[in-house]
C-alpha cells in the first residue's frame, strides 16, 4: 500500500491495518482510490481534514455488535460531512500458514467480537481463543509466526495480503452479519432531490419538559420518518444530552425544511452532518 499523495486527491483513509473490513469496504466502494491505513478513527478523519486523504471510510454500527460508540463523540468535532453509506457483509475466514490443517491448529487469534461471532467453530475444533486488537492485525501476526498450530479469524482480503490459506470460509455462527459504514468528506455533496436519501444530524435540546418531544414533532406533522435516534452525555455533570438522528428524506424537500426549522427552534445546537443517497441494501430490506 503506497503512502498518500500530498493533496489527498486519490486517497481514502480507514482505521486499522491492511486487510481490515474497513479496507475491504474501501476497495468495494472506491476501488479507484488508494487506501490509507490509520491507527485510529480520529487519525482517519484527521487525514481528510488535513488534506492527506479525499475521503474516510468509518464504521458506525454492526448488526451483532451494535453502534461503534467512539464515532458519535468524534462526529461533532470532525468538521467533515457524510456523503454516503455502505453496508458490508462480514464474512469471516479461518486463516492459517501454508501447510496447516484443521487438525493441526490448536489456537485462534482475532478481535473479541470476531471470536464471539465464531463460537461454534471454535467449540467444534476445540480451539483456544486469543483476543487481539483487530482481525487483520491477527492475520498479520499469524503470518509472522508461521506456526501451523496457530490460526486467525479475519477477512479473505487479509489472507491474500499476508499470504495465508483459508481453511474454512464463512465461519460465523450467524450469517448476515453486516457492518454499516459512513463515507466522510470535507465538503457536502447532496444528491439530486428525487434520489431516495438519508439526512444525518446532531442536536441538543433545551433543558425544559417535553423539549425532545417538541423538537421531533415537526417530523411527525410533516410526514417524515425518523429511522435512528441515539443520545449520549457530553458534559462531566451529566446534564447535557446530545442526539444523533437519521431521517428519511432530502434537505431540498419542503416538508424536510419545515421539520428542520422546528427542530432548530427547540434546540440549543443543531448541525446537519450530511444528506446522502440511501444505500441499495437499505432499500432492499425496507419493509
Amino acid at each position: 500500500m503506497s503512502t498518500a499523495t500530498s493533496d489527498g486527491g486519490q486517497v481514502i483513509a480507514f482505521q486499522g491495518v491492511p486487510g481490515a473490513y474497513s479496507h475491504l469496504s474501501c476497495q468495494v466502494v472506491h476501488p479507484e482510490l488508494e487506501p490509507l491505513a490509520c491507527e485510529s478513527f480520529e487519525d482517519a478523519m484527521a487525514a481528510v481534514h488535513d488534506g492527506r486523504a479525499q475521503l474516510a471510510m468509518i464504521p458506525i454500527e454492526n448488526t451483532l455488535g451494535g453502534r461503534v460508540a467512539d464515532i458519535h463523540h468524534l462526529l461533532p468535532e470532525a468538521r467533515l460531512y457524510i456523503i454516503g453509506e455502505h453496508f458490508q457483509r462480514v464474512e469471516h475466514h479461518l486463516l492459517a500458514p501454508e501447510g496447516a490443517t484443521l487438525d493441526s491448529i490448536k489456537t485462534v487469534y482475532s478481535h473479541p467480537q470476531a471470536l464471539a461471532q465464531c463460537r461454534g467453530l471454535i467449540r467444534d475444533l476445540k480451539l483456544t481463543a486469543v483476543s487481539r486488537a483487530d482481525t487483520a492485525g491477527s492475520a498479520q501476526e499469524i503470518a509472522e509466526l508461521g506456526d501451523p498450530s496457530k490460526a486467525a479469524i479475519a477477512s479473505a482480503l487479509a489472507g491474500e495480503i499476508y499470504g495465508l490459506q483459508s481453511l474454512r470460509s464463512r465461519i460465523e455462527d450467524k450469517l448476515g452479519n453486516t457492518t454499516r459504514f459512513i463515507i466522510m468528506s470535507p465538503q457536502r455533496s447532496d444528491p439530486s432531490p428525487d434520489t431516495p436519501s438519508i439526512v444525518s444530524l446532531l442536536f441538543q435540546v433545551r433543558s425544559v419538559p417535553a423539549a425532545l418531544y417538541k423538537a421531533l414533532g415537526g417530523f411527525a406533522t410533516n410526514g417524515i420518518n425518523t429511522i435512528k435516534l441515539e443520545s449520549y452525555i457530553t458534559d462531566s455533570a451529566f446534564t447535557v444530552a446530545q442526539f444523533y438522528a437519521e431521517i428519511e428524506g432530502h434537505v431540498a424537500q419542503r416538508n424536510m425544511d419545515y421539520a428542520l426549522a422546528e427542530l432548530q427552534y427547540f434546540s440549543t445546537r443543531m448541525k446537519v452532518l450530511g444528506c446522502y443517497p440511501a444505500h441499495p441494501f437499505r432499500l432492499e430490506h425496507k419493509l
Side-chain angles (χ1 to χ4, degrees), residues 251-271:
V251 290
Q253 295 168 341
R254 181 172 297 180
N255 61 341
M256 179 69 74
D257 188 48
Y258 291 154
L260 291 177
E262 190 163 342
L263 173 63
Q264 189 166 25
Y265 179 81
F266 288 105
S267 301
T268 56
R269 178 188 183 189
M270 189 193 82
K271 179 181 180 181

Side-chain angles (χ1 to χ4, degrees), residues 93-110 115 118 120-130 138 142-143 145-154 164-169 171:
H93 287 246
L94 184 64
L95 305 175
E98 291 295 330
T101 66
L102 290 176
D103 292 328
S104 73
I105 60 172
K106 306 300 179 185
T107 307
V108 62
Y109 293 52
S110 197
L115 294 172
C118 302
L121 177 98
I122 295 171
R123 181 183 61 251
D124 293 344
L125 296 181
K126 297 180 173 61
L127 303 178
T128 299
V130 178
S138 299
I142 292 301
L145 292 172
D147 185 341
S149 71
K150 300 181 186 299
I153 294 174
L164 300 173
Q165 62 173 325
S166 176
L167 298 180
R168 189 173 291 180
S169 62
I171 60 174

Side-chain angles (χ1 to χ4, degrees), residues 190-240:
D190 298 352
S192 61
D194 59 348
T195 301
S197 302
I198 306 295
V199 176
S200 289
L201 53 90
L202 290 166
F203 67 95
Q204 295 177 1
V205 295
R206 305 176 193 279
S207 183
V208 295
L212 180 60
Y213 171 81
K214 294 175 180 177
L216 295 177
F219 296 106
T221 56
N222 286 283
I224 298 174
N225 187 30
T226 301
I227 56 178
K228 178 187 288 292
L229 180 65
E230 298 180 341
S231 66
Y232 48 101
I233 299 299
T234 61
D235 69 322
S236 58
F238 290 85
T239 58
V240 179

Side-chain angles (χ1 to χ4, degrees), residues 17 32 148 186 244:
V17 300
E32 79 282 5
Y244 172 79

